[in-house]
């Protein structure tokens, strides 16, 4: 039995993937396995990229090739179902950790009545030039994160995917990630998790969320991706309202998630008005 299973989802980002694998190899905690799930990308290039790591880590690294690209959480579930660790955490192919991330998360999970832990996250902006990653700037993503309350989580996701670790045994009760969601699958999973179990917060910046930006539009976001997030945000909120009516979750919680859709919309409209002013 391995203590920690690290699920790495990847799709043709081998330059960044090497950095991610190195981040894992640099961890102070060593009882882990890596499950790399190639979500429909080039098999030969991935194998070549990781050939040295496969030799060095032997049975600690497993590569799974999916025949075609699927929604992100399909790859997540494939990785989990092919892993054996007592604890599960996700690290995408472009993100990294502080060297003490695994050690500190495992230490908390081994304490009584701790089922899941989340850390604070550093947001790193960067650009890729000539197969080289250039750092632009760093900011704190969730510096006020002290606890994960259902009230706050109902409005928006409070922590990044790579800052969360939890006990595998809870999946029997909570279920796996929803495979019908192209985005927001991590938030939906976190909602189900928090409805059943508390999430302990380690108030340290142990996860790094890397964001590549076009050099001529530093700080901009992809409008198509924003529209997709808004579309599925609305879909999920209606879904949770329906669950509340059916008694599958507390009705007041389903109503709260639904109410936040209008509150968030109002805030976005207000920010646009201020920006134009």
């Amino acid at each position: 039995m391995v203590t920690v299973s690290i699920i790495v989802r990847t799709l043709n980002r081998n330059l960044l993937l090497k950095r991610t694998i190195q981040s894992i190899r640099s961890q102070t905690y060593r009882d882990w396995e890596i499950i790399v799930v190639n979500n429909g990308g080039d098999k030969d290039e991935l194998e070549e990229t990781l050939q040295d790591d496969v030799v060095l880590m032997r049975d600690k690294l497993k590569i799974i090739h999916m025949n075609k690209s699927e929604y992100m959480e399909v790859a997540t579930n494939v990785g989990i179902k092919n892993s054996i660790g007592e604890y599960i955490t996700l690290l995408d192919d472009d993100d990294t950790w502080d060297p003490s991330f695994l050690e500190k998360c495992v230490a908390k999970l081994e304490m009584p009545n701790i089922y899941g832990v989340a850390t604070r996250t550093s947001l790193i902006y960067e650009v890729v030039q000539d197969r080289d990653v250039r750092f632009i700037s760093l900011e704190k993503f969730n510096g006020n994160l002290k606890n994960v309350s259902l009230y706050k989580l109902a409005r928006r996701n409070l922590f990044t995917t790579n800052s969360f670790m939890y006990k595998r045994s809870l999946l029997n009760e909570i279920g796996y990630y929803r495979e019908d969601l192209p985005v927001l699958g991590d938030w939906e999973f976190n909602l189900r998790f928090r409805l059943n179990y508390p999430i302990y917060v380690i108030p340290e910046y142990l996860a790094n969320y890397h964001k590549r930006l076009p050099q001529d539009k530093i700080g901009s976001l992809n409008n198509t991706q924003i529209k997709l997030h808004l579309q599925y945000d609305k879909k999920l909120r209606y879904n949770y309202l329906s669950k509340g009516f059916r008694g599958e979750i507390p009705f007041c919680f389903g109503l709260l998630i639904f109410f936040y859709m209008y509150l968030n919309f109002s805030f976005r409209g207000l920010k646009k008005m201020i920006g134009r002013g």
Side-chain angles (χ1 to χ4, degrees):
M1 176 64 75
V2 174
T3 302
V4 183
S5 291
I6 305 166
I7 312 302
V8 178
R9 306 169 296 191
T10 187
L11 177 58
N12 293 332
R13 293 199 290 198
N14 297 325
L15 172 66
L16 302 171
L17 177 61
K18 282 291 291 184
R19 179 180 66 183
T20 296
I21 298 299
Q22 183 56 47
S23 175
I24 299 172
R25 291 176 56 184
S26 299
Q27 291 293 299
T28 56
Y29 187 85
R30 303 298 300 168
D31 189 13
W32 44 256
E33 64 170 354
I34 305 173
I35 311 297
V36 174
V37 183
N38 178 18
N39 192 5
D42 188 289
K43 297 180 181 180
D44 293 336
E45 286 189 10
L46 178 61
E47 294 280 355
E48 182 179 355
T49 298
L50 296 183
Q51 61 181 351
D52 292 339
D53 298 289
V54 170
V55 172
L56 288 171
M57 289 187 279
R58 299 180 183 178
D59 57 346
K60 291 174 72 69
L61 173 61
K62 179 188 296 185
I63 301 174
I64 300 173
H65 296 288
M66 297 174 59
N67 292 327
K68 62 178 182 178
S69 182
E70 303 279 4
Y71 285 163
M72 188 178 299
E73 307 311 342
V74 176
T76 303
N77 290 337
V78 167
I80 292 174
K81 292 174 183 179
N82 283 276
S83 66
I84 60 173
E86 181 181 358
Y87 307 137
I88 294 172
T89 187
L90 278 58
L91 184 64
D92 283 341
D93 61 1
D94 58 340
D95 293 328
T96 60
W97 286 324
D98 179 271
S100 64
F101 174 83
L102 292 180
E103 180 181 355
K104 291 180 177 179
C105 288
V106 169
K108 289 298 179 184
L109 283 173
E110 290 181 344
M111 297 174 62
N113 301 318
I114 302 292
Y115 308 97
V117 295
T119 76
R120 293 177 180 173
T121 300
S122 296
L123 178 58
I124 299 175
Y125 293 100
E126 58 193 19
V127 293
V128 177
Q129 293 178 313
D130 301 322
R131 295 194 58 79
D132 183 44
V133 183
R134 182 169 66 86
F135 170 84
I136 297 174
S137 63
L138 179 148
E139 64 183 56
K140 303 305 183 184
F141 173 76
N142 50 1
N144 295 322
L145 184 65
K146 297 179 181 178
N147 62 80
V148 180
S149 70
L150 273 175
Y151 174 79
K152 294 178 181 178
L153 193 60
R155 183 173 182 183
R156 63 180 180 85
N157 208 0
L158 299 175
F159 51 89
T160 55
T161 304
N162 65 321
S163 68
F164 188 34
M165 185 187 294
Y166 56 89
K167 294 183 177 180
R168 170 190 296 274
S169 59
L170 304 183
L171 292 172
N172 295 326
E173 181 177 353
I174 296 170
Y176 287 80
Y177 292 76
R178 277 183 52 172
E179 299 185 353
D180 62 325
L181 300 174
V183 293
L184 301 178
D186 55 339
W187 177 51
E188 196 281 330
F189 179 83
N190 296 342
L191 286 169
R192 280 186 283 123
F193 192 104
R194 185 60 186 85
L195 274 166
N196 290 275
Y197 294 97
I199 298 174
Y200 182 91
V201 173
I202 299 175
E204 298 182 54
Y205 295 93
L206 303 178
N208 300 314
Y209 182 82
H210 295 257
K211 188 172 183 59
R212 261 84 45 218
L213 297 174
Q215 295 181 60
D216 59 338
K217 295 181 179 179
I218 301 301
S220 68
L221 292 175
N222 183 289
N223 289 329
T224 302
Q225 194 72 1
I226 291 176
K227 290 179 181 178
L228 191 63
H229 274 78
L230 291 175
Q231 174 188 345
Y232 278 87
D233 179 272
K234 181 178 180 180
K235 179 178 180 179
L236 280 174
R237 292 182 190 279
Y238 272 101
N239 180 245
Y240 268 74
L241 180 64
S242 298
K243 287 183 177 183
F245 277 115
R246 294 194 300 267
E248 297 175 10
I249 61 173
F251 175 75
C252 58
F253 183 67
L255 188 63
L256 178 65
I257 291 180
F258 185 74
F259 166 76
Y260 270 133
M261 177 174 66
Y262 294 98
L263 184 63
N264 290 344
F265 179 80
S266 298
F267 271 107
R268 282 193 293 268
L270 181 61
K271 287 176 67 175
K272 287 182 178 179
M273 289 178 61
I274 294 174
R276 285 195 295 268

